[in-house]
Amino acid sequence: MSDRVLPLKALAKSGRYGASTSAPSVRLQVLHPMGLVTVIARKGKSKSVQRALSNLQDVTVMDAGIDQWYVQGPDKKLATTLKQQLAETASVIDQSHGRVTLRISGPKCRAVLAKGTPVDLHANQFAIGQSAMTTMAHVGIHLTRTADDEFTLSVFRSFSESFWEWLTASAAEFGYHVS
Amino acid sequence: MLIPCPHCGIRPVEEFTFLGDAKPQRPQSNDPATMDQWFDYVYLRDNPRGLFDEYVHHSGGCRSWMVVTRNTETHEIKACVPARDYKKKQS
Amino acid sequence: MSGFRLPNGGLIDRNQPISFTFDGKKYYGFKGDTLASALIANGIHLMGRSFKYHRPRGVITAGAAEPNALVELRSGGRKEANTRATMVELYEGLEANSQNRWPSLNLDVGATNSLGAAFFVAGFYYKTFMWPKSFWEKVYEPIIRKVAGLGTASKEADPDNYEKAYAHCDLLVIGSGPAGLMAALAGARGGARVIMADEQFALGGSLLFEREEIDGKGGLDWAQRVIAELAVMPNVTLMPRTTVFGWYDGNVFGAVERVNDHVAVPPVHEPRQRYWRIFAKKAVLAAGAEERPLVFGGNDVPGVMTASAMRHYANRFGVAAGENPVVFTNNAYAKRTVGKVLDVSDRKIVNVSGGKRVTGVELDDHSHVACDAVAMSGGWSPIVNLMCHRGAKPQWSEKITAFVPPNVGEAFVSVGAANGSMLLSEALREGAVAGTLKGKAPNIPSCHDETFVITPFWHVKESMGKAFVDYQNDSTAKDLPLAAREGYEDVELAKRYTTTGMATDQGKLGNVNAIALLAEATGKSMAEVGTTTFRPFYTPVSFGAFAGHSRGHHFQPVRKTPLHEWAEEQGAVFVETGLWMRSSWFPREGEDWLAAATREVLATRNSVGLCDVTTLGKIDIQGEDAGAFLDKLYCNTFSTLAVGKARYGLMLREDGIVMDDGTTSRLAENHFLMTTTTANAAKIMSHIEFCHQALWPDIDVTYASVTEQWAQLAIAGPKARATLNKIIDGAALDDMNTPYLAAREITILDGIEARLFRISFSGEHAYELAVPADNGNTVARALMHAGAEFGITPYGLEALSIMRIEKGHVAGAELNGTTTAGDLGLGKMMSTKKDYIGRMMATREGLHDANRQCVVGIRPVDVKDKLHSGSHLLKRGDAPSMTNDQGYITSVAWSPMLNMWLGLALLSNGRARYGQVVKVFDGLRNIHMFAEICDPMHFDTKNERLHV
């Protein structure tokens, strides 16, 4: 079995970058390898799929469109498990390799993201657990708020390098560290 | 311009792509006698000043197709419904 | 310390002197100065030369409306031309140069234009340079090009960064004067998210230079208290140095923040400027009003400026514009300015004397008054621009003799002077009311009001010398009646005819005066003449701000395939295909593209080759109605496709023209995998979404793009199967378990999941292997290792193209948006048994005409000749012309298998003309030659190699 190789391994090296401040206000992490699966409810099965997804353990279920979700979990046969559990009620499509997931956190994480998306990310407008599909720096992204000052986002793998370059350029004025 | 996507909320027009008039409906029949209907469906379009129903794709967002009712003169957006709901209303 | 700097006063910091250069000479100013105030302080009143007449000019204003003092700021890649000196915040080492003069500002040869002034009246462009005709290109245009324009742009790359960003607020306050501050305070105290933007580097608006009293204290004191309160509120964002330049649909505002224009070099991680899109629930225009010049002879001599500008230089910058100014005014407010007052109802200035500096004025009673500066005031124009950006027109107010903003609804309102409310108490009250979104309005502080009285008066008829209306474009009082006489009466026509209002200042000072002159000339009222259309941008915005991060390498996102690393290792040369980087050829030492591609084709056809085909769109389609849905999309049938098989499909547009092609496989009863071309992947995905959601919403089907999930490799050639067998888990491939067009789910290299398709674009016995993307490079290397004994060769787009052309397979050049299935030789694919997109319109007789251009093969008669795609085809004896045009060559390749150039073409009635010789005409390269028409399949005509 071959190990999965991260597309950003050359670019996303650990360290502190950007403006030198006492403490970097932005933290960037590449979450890899992740299990990420698209689930689309079949006709008339939306409610039953939602119920089934809400009963899953150890995964994060995120809205990804009408009757559509991303299920994120550790990289272990997630798609196979979901196919078994959802059977004919949903289409289950593995996207674990097709998307790269990043985490951005810290007091200035919103200021960085606001350079790229028109979605209002204010803490009162975008709740923890809420997701948005939007465009950031001309690249389609899926964005989820995971904690007070923390978001995860995923992009198509082919865009990941280009996107990382924009993201780090935008974070530079605040000082950021990559881990 | 801001479009109120039923799924995502209000988003700027840059996230969307426009197809055109939603009023013309695809004819149902393959009978050659209906060719005129097909010509009209493919080519004939009104260009109204005022309210206009248009197919819009949230290509930079949730990927839903919707119909936006917009005043072409003032750019006021009166409604935005999923395309499937618009079709139900038309038939 | 120079003579024009007042001994005390001003908001400058006299403890922080700053040195700067102007036209190469070094001067000193203070922190808090603008370039303009520092120049005046140093006794420099001559700052530029006007556009047409090259007249000596100085500042007229102290702010954004400045038409005259345009300088080239900074140098090298940072140089910025046509920059208003009044808006430049002075910094240490600032470098500025005057423009539009040669050899110098003081002695400008261009001033001789004044001698020809009689010929350079408005509209002269339309009447001169017309004869002789040949002179335009050789004489007039080159000269005009040299003298046109004001500053010159840098030819070096800009070394600084720019950014873009979005902001949301409940209340956007535009302007930080008394009205704006009250609005921001009201909103902020009520808990609203407030953004207050001001184009100046200091907040306070008119309170920075007018001596007002608010709440028993100085106006500026009061302002600074409010600013201090706002500055610490977490729901308030103060944005000085930020111009709100446009109002757009949805109450969205565009603004540019000059983050680091006030330092010589921006800090390394910061941008120079930032472009903001601000989404405001409500906005308040507190931008104030612009003082108007009066129109009289010599109203442009350096030292003539608006009265408020003179007060601005004195009170805010501690600079005296002159030692003994006169004040020429039609209204009360100008009398706050220190100087000898001339009220229009009493006395008028007929002419200003002095060339490079005011020396005196001649009055209408023929008396002469010595003076060294003139403060003029023709009234005040509310700065309505933003509120008119979406088409509404301002309204004429007799009360204040000005245009006031239109009513554009609750979401955007004007307050204070911007609203035409000239009293300070009105500004404070209107601001408070407009900014109160929740609860009660804050208490309105007390203040002292000065009544605004104005006598409508526009120009001094007795003036003989040039009386300027638009300073930047040099239009004068005589030009507007001339436009009316010539028939350009409408205000929009008069604008273009006289160029009034068309310069970089967009007529901020001159437009209303021009309207008045036009009204007089036509006998219409001000309201009847009306204003011209207002459009963004209020003041110029740099291209850098628009581009933000998207420049150079980052102009567009770059898409790399999962096999990019492997391709680089193999020495690939990449080509941009849309956003993708695709490996095009893999040169060895000394090879050019053709040599490399030729070697790659030979290696593949003779043994085995490996190609990255990841970029082709892959769409996962599932559901009870998946097969029926595919039958709607494709012209041929897919519901009948057996599980484990692949089929070539053709998609039409609803007008019957071919849209895309691909291979779709059935992995299970209700599970298909569709492929598309690279170029159309996104378009087909949108098309699928539309067809389901808008046309057939009730069918049970799902679709998801999996282009990125799978790395895909083509392995082609007689040794392809042998190579693959070395990495396949389980039973070796054979014709039984993997026949031609099989589609299988397998594992390789001890458990890596994969999909194997026996399909061929090259015509060889070939496969496509899909593996999860993170495993791509590993698998590619494993295949290279497995195929080493067969001399496995990576091949790119060029070799791929050669092989498909040899086999006559159509691709993008033939699926060019004008061809039908019939044209492509694929007419038999169109089902007659089901409805599908394009079925009906494809039956139109025009799309079946016998003379339609259809795909044929083409080869030069002389095998040494080269073919060029795009060449046109004609009958042997015909001369090249549109009527004789019979078609064109779509794809060409040097064929290593046939040792000649060959290609595909679209030729009228082509299928009936195999064996015919046609003329080939390349008008670009002036090539005339002959070629023979043949079957598109040039090589392996019985497709035997597929089954080798």
Side-chain angles (χ1 to χ4, degrees), chain C residues 355-392:
Chain C
K356 295 183 185 136
R357 186 85 211 283
V358 173
T359 56
V361 291
E362 188 198 316
L363 304 185
D364 55 338
D365 64 359
H366 305 291
S367 68
H368 191 269
V369 178
C371 59
D372 65 352
V374 177
M376 59 179 172
S377 182
W380 290 84
S381 295
I383 300 175
V384 304
N385 303 49
L386 286 175
M387 291 184 84
C388 300
H389 278 169
R390 290 175 61 189

Short mmCIF file of all heavy atoms in Angstrom, two decimals, chain C residues 355-392:
data_model
loop_
_atom_site.label_atom_id
_atom_site.label_comp_id
_atom_site.label_asym_id
_atom_site.label_seq_id
_atom_site.Cartn_x
_atom_site.Cartn_y
_atom_site.Cartn_z
N GLY C 355 1.73 87.05 -14.61
CA GLY C 355 1.85 85.86 -15.47
C GLY C 355 2.04 84.64 -14.63
O GLY C 355 1.20 83.74 -14.54
N LYS C 356 3.17 84.58 -13.91
CA LYS C 356 3.46 83.43 -13.07
C LYS C 356 3.02 83.66 -11.61
O LYS C 356 3.16 82.80 -10.77
CB LYS C 356 4.95 83.11 -13.13
CG LYS C 356 5.35 82.68 -14.52
CD LYS C 356 6.82 82.28 -14.63
CE LYS C 356 7.16 81.98 -16.07
NZ LYS C 356 8.45 82.57 -16.46
N ARG C 357 2.50 84.81 -11.35
CA ARG C 357 2.05 85.10 -9.98
C ARG C 357 1.14 86.32 -10.05
O ARG C 357 1.37 87.24 -10.84
CB ARG C 357 3.27 85.39 -9.09
CG ARG C 357 2.98 85.57 -7.64
CD ARG C 357 2.93 84.23 -6.87
NE ARG C 357 1.98 84.35 -5.75
CZ ARG C 357 2.26 84.99 -4.60
NH1 ARG C 357 3.43 85.55 -4.42
NH2 ARG C 357 1.36 85.08 -3.66
N VAL C 358 0.12 86.35 -9.21
CA VAL C 358 -0.79 87.50 -9.16
C VAL C 358 -0.01 88.75 -8.73
O VAL C 358 0.72 88.72 -7.74
CB VAL C 358 -1.93 87.24 -8.17
CG1 VAL C 358 -2.79 88.49 -7.98
CG2 VAL C 358 -2.79 86.07 -8.63
N THR C 359 -0.21 89.83 -9.50
CA THR C 359 0.39 91.11 -9.06
C THR C 359 -0.69 92.14 -8.74
O THR C 359 -0.44 93.11 -8.04
CB THR C 359 1.30 91.69 -10.15
OG1 THR C 359 0.54 91.84 -11.36
CG2 THR C 359 2.52 90.82 -10.39
N GLY C 360 -1.88 91.90 -9.25
CA GLY C 360 -2.96 92.84 -8.96
C GLY C 360 -4.21 92.45 -9.71
O GLY C 360 -4.22 91.50 -10.48
N VAL C 361 -5.32 93.20 -9.47
CA VAL C 361 -6.56 92.92 -10.19
C VAL C 361 -7.14 94.24 -10.74
O VAL C 361 -7.01 95.29 -10.11
CB VAL C 361 -7.61 92.23 -9.30
CG1 VAL C 361 -7.16 90.83 -8.96
CG2 VAL C 361 -7.89 93.03 -8.04
N GLU C 362 -7.82 94.13 -11.91
CA GLU C 362 -8.50 95.27 -12.51
C GLU C 362 -9.98 95.09 -12.29
O GLU C 362 -10.56 94.06 -12.60
CB GLU C 362 -8.18 95.29 -14.01
CG GLU C 362 -8.67 96.54 -14.71
CD GLU C 362 -8.74 96.32 -16.22
OE1 GLU C 362 -7.76 95.75 -16.77
OE2 GLU C 362 -9.77 96.67 -16.83
N LEU C 363 -10.62 96.13 -11.73
CA LEU C 363 -12.03 96.01 -11.38
C LEU C 363 -12.91 96.62 -12.46
O LEU C 363 -12.43 97.26 -13.40
CB LEU C 363 -12.28 96.70 -10.04
CG LEU C 363 -11.42 96.22 -8.87
CD1 LEU C 363 -11.85 96.89 -7.58
CD2 LEU C 363 -11.48 94.70 -8.72
N ASP C 364 -14.23 96.44 -12.30
CA ASP C 364 -15.14 96.90 -13.34
C ASP C 364 -15.31 98.42 -13.34
O ASP C 364 -15.88 98.98 -14.25
CB ASP C 364 -16.51 96.22 -13.21
CG ASP C 364 -17.14 96.38 -11.84
OD1 ASP C 364 -16.40 96.64 -10.87
OD2 ASP C 364 -18.36 96.22 -11.72
N ASP C 365 -14.77 99.06 -12.32
CA ASP C 365 -14.79 100.54 -12.37
C ASP C 365 -13.46 101.05 -12.88
O ASP C 365 -13.12 102.21 -12.68
CB ASP C 365 -15.12 101.10 -10.97
CG ASP C 365 -14.04 100.75 -9.95
OD1 ASP C 365 -13.04 100.04 -10.32
OD2 ASP C 365 -14.16 101.14 -8.79
N HIS C 366 -12.73 100.16 -13.51
CA HIS C 366 -11.44 100.47 -14.12
C HIS C 366 -10.35 100.78 -13.11
O HIS C 366 -9.26 101.19 -13.50
CB HIS C 366 -11.55 101.61 -15.15
CG HIS C 366 -12.58 101.33 -16.20
ND1 HIS C 366 -12.41 100.35 -17.15
CD2 HIS C 366 -13.81 101.86 -16.42
CE1 HIS C 366 -13.49 100.29 -17.94
NE2 HIS C 366 -14.36 101.20 -17.50
N SER C 367 -10.65 100.62 -11.83
CA SER C 367 -9.59 100.82 -10.84
C SER C 367 -8.71 99.58 -10.79
O SER C 367 -9.11 98.51 -11.25
CB SER C 367 -10.19 101.09 -9.46
OG SER C 367 -10.84 99.92 -9.00
N HIS C 368 -7.53 99.75 -10.27
CA HIS C 368 -6.58 98.64 -10.17
C HIS C 368 -6.19 98.47 -8.71
O HIS C 368 -5.86 99.46 -8.03
CB HIS C 368 -5.35 98.94 -11.03
CG HIS C 368 -4.45 97.75 -11.18
ND1 HIS C 368 -3.42 97.51 -10.31
CD2 HIS C 368 -4.44 96.74 -12.09
CE1 HIS C 368 -2.80 96.38 -10.69
NE2 HIS C 368 -3.41 95.91 -11.77
N VAL C 369 -6.27 97.26 -8.21
CA VAL C 369 -5.89 96.99 -6.82
C VAL C 369 -4.67 96.07 -6.82
O VAL C 369 -4.69 95.00 -7.44
CB VAL C 369 -7.04 96.28 -6.06
CG1 VAL C 369 -6.62 95.95 -4.63
CG2 VAL C 369 -8.30 97.15 -6.07
N ALA C 370 -3.64 96.50 -6.14
CA ALA C 370 -2.45 95.64 -6.04
C ALA C 370 -2.72 94.55 -5.01
O ALA C 370 -3.31 94.80 -3.95
CB ALA C 370 -1.25 96.47 -5.61
N CYS C 371 -2.36 93.33 -5.35
CA CYS C 371 -2.52 92.22 -4.40
C CYS C 371 -1.63 91.08 -4.88
O CYS C 371 -1.14 91.09 -6.01
CB CYS C 371 -3.98 91.77 -4.34
SG CYS C 371 -4.63 91.20 -5.94
N ASP C 372 -1.39 90.09 -4.03
CA ASP C 372 -0.58 88.96 -4.47
C ASP C 372 -1.31 87.63 -4.37
O ASP C 372 -0.73 86.57 -4.58
CB ASP C 372 0.75 88.91 -3.70
CG ASP C 372 0.55 88.64 -2.21
OD1 ASP C 372 -0.62 88.65 -1.74
OD2 ASP C 372 1.56 88.41 -1.52
N ALA C 373 -2.61 87.71 -4.06
CA ALA C 373 -3.42 86.48 -4.06
C ALA C 373 -4.87 86.87 -4.17
O ALA C 373 -5.27 87.96 -3.73
CB ALA C 373 -3.18 85.67 -2.79
N VAL C 374 -5.68 86.02 -4.77
CA VAL C 374 -7.11 86.26 -4.90
C VAL C 374 -7.84 85.04 -4.36
O VAL C 374 -7.62 83.92 -4.81
CB VAL C 374 -7.52 86.49 -6.37
CG1 VAL C 374 -9.04 86.66 -6.48
CG2 VAL C 374 -6.79 87.68 -6.96
N ALA C 375 -8.71 85.28 -3.35
CA ALA C 375 -9.55 84.21 -2.82
C ALA C 375 -10.91 84.38 -3.47
O ALA C 375 -11.56 85.38 -3.25
CB ALA C 375 -9.65 84.31 -1.31
N MET C 376 -11.34 83.43 -4.29
CA MET C 376 -12.61 83.57 -5.00
C MET C 376 -13.63 82.57 -4.47
O MET C 376 -13.27 81.47 -4.03
CB MET C 376 -12.40 83.38 -6.50
CG MET C 376 -11.82 82.04 -6.83
SD MET C 376 -11.61 81.81 -8.61
CE MET C 376 -10.71 80.26 -8.60
N SER C 377 -14.91 82.97 -4.54
CA SER C 377 -15.95 82.03 -4.16
C SER C 377 -17.20 82.28 -4.98
O SER C 377 -17.79 83.36 -4.92
CB SER C 377 -16.29 82.14 -2.68
OG SER C 377 -17.28 81.18 -2.35
N GLY C 378 -17.61 81.30 -5.75
CA GLY C 378 -18.81 81.38 -6.56
C GLY C 378 -19.96 80.60 -5.96
O GLY C 378 -20.98 80.39 -6.61
N GLY C 379 -19.78 80.16 -4.70
CA GLY C 379 -20.83 79.37 -4.07
C GLY C 379 -20.31 77.99 -3.72
O GLY C 379 -19.11 77.72 -3.79
N TRP C 380 -21.19 77.11 -3.29
CA TRP C 380 -20.81 75.77 -2.85
C TRP C 380 -21.66 74.71 -3.55
O TRP C 380 -22.89 74.84 -3.62
CB TRP C 380 -21.02 75.65 -1.33
CG TRP C 380 -20.04 76.45 -0.54
CD1 TRP C 380 -20.13 77.78 -0.21
CD2 TRP C 380 -18.80 75.99 0.00
NE1 TRP C 380 -19.04 78.16 0.52
CE2 TRP C 380 -18.21 77.09 0.67
CE3 TRP C 380 -18.15 74.76 0.02
CZ2 TRP C 380 -16.97 76.99 1.34
CZ3 TRP C 380 -16.94 74.66 0.68
CH2 TRP C 380 -16.35 75.77 1.33
N SER C 381 -21.00 73.68 -4.04
CA SER C 381 -21.71 72.56 -4.68
C SER C 381 -21.61 71.32 -3.80
O SER C 381 -20.50 70.81 -3.60
CB SER C 381 -21.08 72.25 -6.03
OG SER C 381 -21.26 73.31 -6.92
N PRO C 382 -22.74 70.85 -3.25
CA PRO C 382 -22.69 69.58 -2.52
C PRO C 382 -22.03 68.50 -3.36
O PRO C 382 -22.26 68.41 -4.56
CB PRO C 382 -24.17 69.26 -2.29
CG PRO C 382 -24.85 70.59 -2.27
CD PRO C 382 -24.10 71.43 -3.25
N ILE C 383 -21.18 67.70 -2.72
CA ILE C 383 -20.47 66.65 -3.45
C ILE C 383 -21.40 65.44 -3.59
O ILE C 383 -21.39 64.52 -2.78
CB ILE C 383 -19.14 66.31 -2.75
CG1 ILE C 383 -18.27 67.58 -2.70
CG2 ILE C 383 -18.40 65.19 -3.48
CD1 ILE C 383 -16.98 67.43 -1.92
N VAL C 384 -22.19 65.49 -4.64
CA VAL C 384 -23.31 64.54 -4.81
C VAL C 384 -22.91 63.25 -5.51
O VAL C 384 -23.69 62.30 -5.58
CB VAL C 384 -24.45 65.19 -5.62
CG1 VAL C 384 -24.92 66.46 -4.95
CG2 VAL C 384 -24.00 65.47 -7.05
N ASN C 385 -21.69 63.23 -6.07
CA ASN C 385 -21.30 62.18 -7.02
C ASN C 385 -21.78 60.78 -6.67
O ASN C 385 -22.45 60.12 -7.46
CB ASN C 385 -19.78 62.15 -7.19
CG ASN C 385 -19.24 63.47 -7.64
OD1 ASN C 385 -19.56 64.51 -7.07
ND2 ASN C 385 -18.41 63.46 -8.67
N LEU C 386 -21.41 60.30 -5.48
CA LEU C 386 -21.71 58.90 -5.15
C LEU C 386 -23.20 58.61 -5.28
O LEU C 386 -23.59 57.55 -5.78
CB LEU C 386 -21.22 58.58 -3.74
CG LEU C 386 -19.70 58.43 -3.58
CD1 LEU C 386 -19.34 58.24 -2.12
CD2 LEU C 386 -19.18 57.27 -4.41
N MET C 387 -24.03 59.53 -4.84
CA MET C 387 -25.46 59.26 -4.86
C MET C 387 -26.04 59.27 -6.27
O MET C 387 -27.19 58.88 -6.47
CB MET C 387 -26.20 60.26 -3.97
CG MET C 387 -25.86 60.03 -2.52
SD MET C 387 -26.77 61.08 -1.40
CE MET C 387 -28.26 60.13 -1.28
N CYS C 388 -25.25 59.72 -7.24
CA CYS C 388 -25.72 59.75 -8.62
C CYS C 388 -25.10 58.64 -9.46
O CYS C 388 -25.34 58.58 -10.67
CB CYS C 388 -25.41 61.11 -9.24
SG CYS C 388 -26.19 62.47 -8.36
N HIS C 389 -24.30 57.78 -8.84
CA HIS C 389 -23.60 56.75 -9.60
C HIS C 389 -24.51 55.69 -10.17
O HIS C 389 -24.11 54.91 -11.02
CB HIS C 389 -22.52 56.10 -8.74
CG HIS C 389 -21.25 56.89 -8.70
ND1 HIS C 389 -20.22 56.61 -7.82
CD2 HIS C 389 -20.84 57.96 -9.41
CE1 HIS C 389 -19.25 57.48 -8.01
NE2 HIS C 389 -19.59 58.30 -8.96
N ARG C 390 -25.73 55.59 -9.64
CA ARG C 390 -26.61 54.55 -10.16
C ARG C 390 -27.72 55.13 -11.01
O ARG C 390 -28.78 54.52 -11.16
CB ARG C 390 -27.15 53.71 -9.00
CG ARG C 390 -26.05 52.86 -8.36
CD ARG C 390 -26.55 52.12 -7.14
NE ARG C 390 -27.63 51.22 -7.47
CZ ARG C 390 -28.35 50.57 -6.56
NH1 ARG C 390 -28.10 50.75 -5.29
NH2 ARG C 390 -29.32 49.76 -6.94
N GLY C 391 -27.49 56.31 -11.56
CA GLY C 391 -28.39 56.82 -12.58
C GLY C 391 -29.30 57.95 -12.17
O GLY C 391 -29.84 58.64 -13.03
N ALA C 392 -29.47 58.17 -10.87
CA ALA C 392 -30.36 59.26 -10.46
C ALA C 392 -29.66 60.60 -10.70
O ALA C 392 -28.43 60.68 -10.65
CB ALA C 392 -30.74 59.12 -8.99
#
